[in-house]
Amino acid sequence: MASSTVYKKYQSKCDYSYTLGAFPTIELLKNKPDKVIKILIHPDMDSEEQLDILNELCNKNKIELCKSKAEVERLRDKENIYCIGIFNKYDEKLKDSKGHVVLVNPGDMGNLGTIIRTAIGFGIDDLAIIEPAADIFNPKAVRASMGALFQLRFRRYASFDEYESENKGREFFPFMLKGATDLQMLDKSHVDKYALIFGNEATGLPDEFANKGTSVLIRHEKTIDSLNLSMACGIALYEFTK
Amino acid sequence: MASSTVYKKYQSKCDYSYTLGAFPTIELLKNKPDKVIKILIHPDMDSEEQLDILNELCNKNKIELCKSKAEVERLRDKENIYCIGIFNKYDEKLKDSKGHVVLVNPGDMGNLGTIIRTAIGFGIDDLAIIEPAADIFNPKAVRASMGALFQLRFRRYASFDEYESENKGREFFPFMLKGATDLQMLDKSHVDKYALIFGNEATGLPDEFANKGTSVLIRHEKTIDSLNLSMACGIALYEFTK
């Protein structure tokens, strides 16, 4: 894409997106330099340390770094944003690693970000998203992940079947309120490769997932309807990566 | 307080607060009817089921239920709010129950709400908040807890020392990045009553907490600085209430 393109405020139909702020922009440059189109710096940016890192990473990867007050001010969503990374959206093949997280129709960008951060925190670097789903490339989701998005592999699938056919030889653990096995009681000693599967925030997983592998319940009191999605996912990740 | 009082948009210095929406208002009426000043209903509210529940709970507890378009529209923060509960703020004595959660200087109302919901989900009904802290009575925190706030006991303390002197005979588990014991390795078999202690989102617990009881670490990869506060708290609650 020519750098003379006029970039607009983010829309999900764009084939590019933004990192808003120095922190996620540095994570982008460190982890996905080949996806970067260019970096924009506002002249009021005053952190010498961050500027040095940005300059170094751009030089090393031959990425254009432009000072542009007008462009940063047009694209940012908060006044305290002085650095923006523009990058091409991408999809990656998941690795046949030990653990996958599969989110079926996640609806909330904040949850997506928190789950991504927690997943890499527990060493799980492969994420499948079954569409329709919240837009993982929305700058708000990128921000919620605090840049962790660029540290894992993720792939969007049109259906769970598509995920399943592309990722064979893996035990499925759908987390459901009707789960047959209590997470605390689950014997994971024989488990080789696994997929932890979670449904939408409001509706959970469809009933048919009860027949896919071993359905799991995180037991809780009846005082609440359910744990929130990112919490359930974090607890499952903690337990499976012990 | 006379019901002729003119109520204003929420401010933390007020001695009353609001539940915005039918769901938290019903939780308020069910769990803390003695704190309710009155209930406001917008004439456009159209859920007969919710109206029936609100009417029944107000009748039973002799609480005034007013139809008032103007007052609801003045106090609500979103257009889809048709029901508001006005209640007196309160503090309660914590019970000498098995588990306490102690939040030292929590800064984020969304986290407070998520933690409250998760705590009661795992059967922990006593929460201490060490000030300065995010305002637990802010309608946004009440909303984030989805009304769970009214189902637990909580008490605000000016200092941790104050909490400590009022709640004796309890083992302390401060959760810290420098924690001496890995949560996975922690032998909890001998633990009778406990307090799970967490610091501020950005700064964690001050170093001196390392000497209070058994400091605990939730091990994670170096790819992230730390787990987020509500996630760490949820994982600890899960592990301690197994």
Side-chain angles (χ1 to χ4, degrees):
Chain A
M1 195 175 296
S3 64
S4 60
T5 309
V6 175
Y7 292 97
K8 299 178 191 160
K9 282 237 174 200
Y10 183 75
Q11 292 183 290
S12 54
K13 65 179 182 195
C14 299
D15 52 7
Y16 52 85
S17 183
Y18 307 109
T19 50
L20 302 178
F23 187 82
T25 302
I26 290 170
E27 288 299 321
L28 167 68
L29 285 165
K30 277 186 182 165
N31 293 287
K32 292 282 181 279
D34 55 312
K35 307 298 183 230
V36 180
I37 300 170
K38 64 175 176 175
I39 304 297
L40 304 173
I41 301 285
H42 192 285
D44 290 352
M45 179 158 176
D46 61 359
S47 163
E48 287 296 331
E49 189 196 348
Q50 288 182 332
L51 275 171
D52 283 352
I53 297 173
L54 289 164
N55 267 310
E56 194 192 314
L57 287 167
C58 285
N59 277 337
K60 189 174 124 191
N61 296 291
K62 302 193 170 47
I63 291 165
E64 189 185 358
L65 188 147
C66 320
K67 288 230 166 178
S68 171
K69 186 169 185 291
E71 210 166 2
V72 170
E73 291 182 1
R74 195 178 70 240
L75 297 177
R76 70 186 178 188
D77 62 348
K78 289 185 183 172
E79 287 211 355
N80 64 355
I81 301 288
Y82 297 109
C83 172
I84 292 179
I86 310 180
F87 65 96
N88 288 310
K89 292 183 182 178
Y90 56 94
D91 254 322
E92 293 161 296
K93 230 180 142 55
L94 301 186
K95 272 205 185 167
D96 192 26
S97 55
K98 187 159 178 66
H100 286 184
V101 170
V102 181
L103 301 178
V104 179
N105 312 138
D108 183 273
M109 288 183 291
N111 274 340
L112 268 184
T114 306
I115 290 169
I116 288 168
R117 227 174 104 66
T118 309
I120 66 159
F122 285 121
I124 301 297
D125 298 328
D126 290 279
L127 170 67
I129 295 175
I130 314 301
E131 306 212 288
D135 178 9
I136 196 168
F137 282 119
N138 188 301
K140 289 188 212 312
V142 176
R143 177 187 287 144
S145 85
M146 297 171 78
L149 175 65
F150 306 116
Q151 294 179 59
L152 54 57
R153 288 172 294 274
F154 63 87
R155 188 174 181 87
R156 293 165 293 174
Y157 294 91
S159 68
F160 185 80
D161 288 350
E162 199 186 296
Y163 167 80
E164 197 173 353
S165 67
E166 201 177 288
N167 298 275
K168 302 223 186 263
R170 176 169 298 274
E171 252 183 281
F172 290 158
F173 295 93
F175 282 74
M176 312 175 72
L177 291 175
K178 296 177 186 168
T181 307
D182 188 331
L183 178 61
Q184 296 176 23
M185 305 299 169
L186 188 65
D187 176 13
K188 299 181 294 293
S189 58
H190 69 286
V191 177
D192 180 23
K193 291 174 179 170
Y194 56 84
L196 309 179
I197 309 168
F198 301 86
N200 171 270
E201 288 84 350
T203 56
L205 284 172
D207 284 351
E208 65 257 32
F209 276 85
N211 305 316
K212 294 198 181 287
T214 307
S215 67
V216 184
L217 164 79
I218 305 177
R219 192 168 294 284
H220 60 75
E221 306 284 324
K222 294 205 181 87
T223 42
I224 60 171
D225 295 333
S226 66
L227 292 167
N228 87 26
L229 172 61
S230 53
M231 193 63 82
C233 193
I235 289 169
L237 283 161
Y238 166 78
E239 189 67 87
F240 268 78
T241 59
K242 264 190 182 181
Chain B
M1 194 176 295
S3 62
S4 60
T5 309
V6 175
Y7 292 97
K8 298 178 192 159
K9 281 238 174 198
Y10 182 75
Q11 292 183 290
S12 55
K13 66 179 183 194
C14 299
D15 53 8
Y16 52 84
S17 183
Y18 307 108
T19 50
L20 302 178
F23 187 82
T25 303
I26 289 170
E27 288 298 322
L28 167 69
L29 284 166
K30 277 187 183 166
N31 294 287
K32 293 282 181 283
D34 55 312
K35 307 298 183 230
V36 180
I37 301 170
K38 65 175 175 176
I39 304 297
L40 305 173
I41 302 285
H42 192 284
D44 291 350
M45 179 160 175
D46 59 1
S47 163
E48 287 295 331
E49 190 196 347
Q50 288 182 332
L51 274 171
D52 283 353
I53 298 173
L54 290 164
N55 266 310
E56 192 193 313
L57 287 166
C58 284
N59 276 337
K60 188 175 126 191
N61 295 292
K62 301 193 169 50
I63 291 166
E64 189 185 358
L65 188 147
C66 319
K67 287 230 167 180
S68 171
K69 186 170 185 291
E71 211 166 2
V72 171
E73 291 182 0
R74 196 177 69 239
L75 297 177
R76 70 187 177 186
D77 63 347
K78 289 186 185 173
E79 288 211 353
N80 64 354
I81 302 288
Y82 296 109
C83 171
I84 293 178
I86 310 179
F87 65 96
N88 287 310
K89 292 183 183 179
Y90 55 94
D91 254 322
E92 296 160 295
K93 228 179 145 56
L94 300 187
K95 271 204 184 166
D96 192 25
S97 55
K98 187 158 178 66
H100 286 186
V101 170
V102 181
L103 301 178
V104 179
N105 313 137
D108 181 274
M109 288 183 292
N111 275 340
L112 267 184
T114 306
I115 290 169
I116 289 168
R117 226 175 104 66
T118 309
I120 66 159
F122 285 121
I124 300 297
D125 298 328
D126 290 278
L127 170 67
I129 294 175
I130 313 302
E131 306 213 288
D135 178 9
I136 196 168
F137 282 118
N138 188 300
K140 288 188 211 315
V142 176
R143 176 186 288 145
S145 85
M146 297 172 78
L149 176 65
F150 306 116
Q151 293 180 57
L152 54 57
R153 290 172 291 277
F154 63 86
R155 190 173 180 86
R156 293 165 293 175
Y157 295 91
S159 69
F160 185 80
D161 288 350
E162 200 186 296
Y163 167 80
E164 197 173 353
S165 68
E166 202 177 286
N167 298 276
K168 301 221 187 264
R170 176 169 298 274
E171 250 182 283
F172 290 156
F173 295 93
F175 282 74
M176 312 176 73
L177 291 174
K178 297 177 186 168
T181 307
D182 188 331
L183 178 60
Q184 298 177 22
M185 306 297 169
L186 189 65
D187 176 14
K188 299 180 294 294
S189 58
H190 69 286
V191 176
D192 181 21
K193 290 174 179 169
Y194 58 83
L196 309 179
I197 309 168
F198 301 86
N200 171 270
E201 288 85 349
T203 56
L205 284 172
D207 284 351
E208 65 256 31
F209 276 85
N211 306 316
K212 295 199 181 288
T214 306
S215 67
V216 184
L217 164 78
I218 304 178
R219 192 169 295 282
H220 60 75
E221 306 285 324
K222 294 205 180 88
T223 42
I224 60 170
D225 295 334
S226 66
L227 291 167
N228 87 26
L229 172 61
S230 53
M231 193 62 83
C233 194
I235 290 169
L237 282 162
Y238 166 79
E239 190 66 88
F240 268 80
T241 58
K242 263 189 181 183

